[in-house]
Amino acid sequence: MDIITTIVYIVLFVIMMVFVFSIGMLRQYMPKREILLVLGVAFLIGAIGGAFFLDPIYDELPAVVSTVEKTIPNNEETLHLDLSSSIDTNQLRSTLSSMEGFKSFEEKSIIIPMWSFSEREHDYFDSIIGNIDSHYKEYEVTSNAINIELEDNYTSSQALKSFSDWYKLVYGETISYAQIKADLVVDSSKLDDFEQALLEKGIVATNIEGPIQDSLNNTNSSMLTNFEFTLFCGGIGVVVAIFGIYMDSIVPAYRRFRKFLRTKRKR
């Protein structure tokens, strides 16, 4: 939402509150039993105004907070990516590294889908994987997949090739697919540019960690629901109406209080 629209919405809500205040000031011309009706109308007007004018602005609050985080120097965001082995990670790295705000791109591990292992097959793979390639940092054999953590500067294509070569030697077949887990670290101020570049390649980060995401999560967790916010705006309308109803009493009391303070200072 642009600034002009935001200002217009706020002004319209203020105008509605001025109208509510004016209704409250008419209390002296109404029977006392009509006060509840005035308060009910004030609540309704406040709720409607909040739902139509303030709620869209309130929904933009997380985006505003994240924008502030983007302006802070040296903030970094880590995008966790799940990639297909059909993607040329070298080309992807080259494209991303040429963009302003790039920090690092690191392939962390590969997940090779297999069949449902029997207990014997599971034990066999668990005992042999570590001997296939010395660049396998860690590995885990699940019931139907093999997860291999890669050493630094060792690519997923190299790891997949070494495993595929061993698998072909033992089983006579080729493994050509794996899921790649990679981490992309970027400058927070350029996060949107990198998300767009990834989206153009059909890639969406599975998770993002960093100041921007933390601020989004914290803001979203502390915000009221749309229904609760609408009720809150209705409450504002009631408070404004009460000020209007008792304006004749509030103003003289305020003047007496100021006179008391001036008298006390003179003493």
Side-chain angles (χ1 to χ4, degrees):
M1 183 180 295
D2 58 82
I3 296 178
I4 295 178
T5 304
T6 300
I7 294 174
V8 170
Y9 279 9
I10 292 175
V11 170
L12 289 174
F13 184 78
V14 170
I15 291 174
M16 295 181 75
M17 292 301 99
V18 171
F19 177 69
V20 168
F21 184 81
S22 302
I23 294 176
M25 291 188 67
L26 296 176
R27 188 269 309 177
Q28 56 183 323
Y29 305 107
M30 302 178 185
K32 288 186 177 180
R33 63 177 179 273
E34 299 295 335
I35 291 180
L36 291 178
L37 177 61
V38 171
L39 295 179
V41 171
F43 178 84
L44 185 62
I45 293 175
I48 293 174
F52 281 95
F53 300 128
L54 295 189
D55 192 58
I57 300 174
Y58 187 66
D59 287 340
E60 295 290 329
L61 184 59
V64 173
V65 174
S66 65
T67 300
V68 174
E69 290 289 348
K70 290 178 182 178
T71 62
I72 299 176
N74 301 321
N75 274 355
E76 295 181 352
E77 304 293 317
T78 300
L79 292 79
H80 299 290
L81 310 177
D82 284 346
L83 309 173
S84 168
S85 57
S86 61
I87 292 177
D88 187 340
T89 54
N90 291 326
Q91 182 182 12
L92 178 63
R93 183 197 304 273
S94 177
T95 300
L96 295 174
S97 62
S98 65
M99 297 176 60
E100 183 182 359
F102 174 84
K103 299 294 183 181
S104 67
F105 177 81
E106 185 177 358
E107 298 171 57
K108 306 295 289 186
S109 64
I110 61 173
I111 301 176
I112 304 173
M114 306 293 283
W115 63 88
S116 295
F117 292 137
S118 65
E119 184 176 349
R120 182 177 179 180
E121 289 171 332
H122 180 280
D123 292 342
Y124 171 71
F125 277 100
D126 193 42
S127 64
I128 201 67
I129 297 298
N131 299 322
I132 296 175
D133 193 323
S134 60
H135 295 290
Y136 294 171
K137 186 176 180 180
E138 298 286 346
Y139 67 91
E140 178 187 9
V141 180
T142 65
S143 60
N144 59 358
I146 298 173
N147 305 335
I148 301 174
E149 186 178 344
L150 308 179
E151 285 187 349
D152 296 340
N153 301 319
Y154 193 64
T155 66
S156 58
S157 58
Q158 291 173 309
L160 182 59
K161 183 179 185 305
S162 64
F163 182 86
S164 181
D165 290 344
W166 169 84
Y167 189 82
K168 185 175 183 180
L169 182 64
V170 175
Y171 291 92
E173 298 179 5
T174 302
I175 296 290
S176 58
Y177 175 80
Q179 184 183 56
I180 304 167
K181 289 189 175 294
D183 287 349
L184 170 64
V185 182
V186 302
D187 191 298
S188 293
S189 62
K190 301 298 181 180
L191 176 62
D192 293 341
D193 296 340
F194 282 92
E195 286 186 310
Q196 182 59 38
L198 291 171
L199 188 61
E200 290 174 359
K201 296 181 177 297
I203 303 170
V204 178
T206 55
N207 187 31
I208 301 176
E209 294 179 346
I212 291 179
Q213 194 62 37
D214 290 343
S215 65
L216 286 172
N217 293 338
N218 293 335
T219 303
N220 285 324
S221 64
S222 62
M223 289 178 66
L224 301 173
T225 64
N226 290 343
F227 179 71
E228 291 171 340
F229 184 74
T230 300
L231 294 180
F232 175 76
C233 292
I236 293 176
V238 172
V239 172
V240 171
I242 291 175
F243 271 106
I245 291 171
Y246 295 102
M247 192 65 180
D248 292 340
S249 303
I250 294 174
V251 173
Y254 174 70
R255 289 174 179 172
R256 287 195 298 270
F257 179 70
R258 289 189 60 186
K259 184 177 179 180
F260 169 75
L261 290 179
R262 286 196 299 268
T263 303
K264 189 175 183 181
R265 288 197 193 100
K266 290 179 181 179
R267 292 178 181 177

